[in-house]
Amino acid sequence: MSRRHALGAIGLLVAAGSPSRAHAALADVRIGYTAMTWGEDERQAIEDIAELGYKGVQFRASVVQNFQPAELRALLQKKGLAFTALSSGVVDIDAKPADEIERHLANARFLQAAGGQYLQLLDKLTGYGRPFDAPACARLGDLLTRIGKACTPLGVTVAYHNHLNTLSESPAGLEAVLAASDPRYVKFELDTAHALAGGADPAQLVDRYQERLAFLHLKDLRDLTGDPKAKYPFQFVELGRGRVDLAAIFAALDKVGFKGWAVIELDRVPDKGGHPKQSAAISKAFLQAHGIAV
C-alpha cells in the first residue's frame, strides 16, 4: 500500500471513534469482498483478498469461462476463502423464458460444483432514472421465481440484487419485484449504495426485508459535481469515504440479528494511481474501526 493510502486508512480509524462504538452483535456477520475491482484477473483478486484476511469472495460470470469448478474450489480452499456468490448477470424479461432459466441454471451448476452459495440476479439495465413499471415488475418477479425454483434442487439460493438502471432502482420498484416473486425461491440481496442512490434508506430496507435478506453488498458513494459526461452524478468509493450511513446500517443489522454475509463491493478503484488491494485495505480499516472483524 502506498504511504498516502495507508495514511488514509489510518485516518478512517481515527475518525470512526473508539472501540466502545463496536457493533458486537455483528460477530456473526461474515465479511467478504468482490473480485470485480480486479476486472477479470480473478487469480490476483483471490490472492489479495485472502492476504487481507477477508473470509469470502464474490465473482462475476467471467469466472465460469476462466476456471473449471474443481480448480476454483481447490484454490479457494487453499486460500481459506468461501465462494460467497456468483454474479450471474441480467434476467431479460423480453427474452424466451426457457432460455433465461437455462442460462442462469448453467451458472448455478458451476456455482454448486465450485462450492458456492448464492446466485446473484438483476434485471436488464436500461438507464439511470428508470420510471416505475408495475407490469414489468410482475413479469420479472415471475421469471425470478421460475429461475429460483429450478436452482433449488442444486442447493443454490437465488438472490435478487437491487440496482440502478433496473426495475428496482426506486423503492416502489424494489417492493413490486419482491412482492411478485416467491420468497421461498427468491431472496433479497441489498446493495447499500444502489439503494441510497435510488432514493431509499438502506437501514430501513434491512428492517423491512429482514426475513428475506440473504446477504448484502456493503458499498459507499460520493457525489460528483461539474462533470456533464458522468454516467451517474456520483462515484462509488471505499467504505467510509462517501455518504452512505454505514453506522445506521450496522445498527439495523444488529437490531434484526442478521447472521450471514456482507460483501464489500467496489466496481473500480476511484482514485487515479490506486490499486484494488489498497481500496480493499481502506474498507477493512473502516470496518475494524467500527469493531467489525474482517
Side-chain angles (χ1 to χ4, degrees), residues 117-129:
Q117 184 171 3
Y118 294 111
L119 190 74
Q120 173 189 297
L121 299 177
L122 52 88
D123 53 298
K124 194 172 181 179
L125 282 69
T126 59
Y128 184 48

Side-chain angles (χ1 to χ4, degrees), residues 76-118:
L76 293 177
Q77 288 176 344
K78 179 180 178 182
K79 295 296 181 180
L81 288 172
F83 189 169
T84 302
L86 174 64
S87 305
S88 189
V90 303
V91 174
D92 187 354
I93 59 174
D94 296 318
K96 187 177 179 181
D99 292 343
E100 288 296 283
I101 294 169
E102 180 53 40
R103 182 164 61 86
H104 292 293
L105 185 56
N107 285 340
R109 293 188 187 104
F110 178 95
L111 177 68
Q112 188 269 345
Q117 184 171 3
Y118 294 111

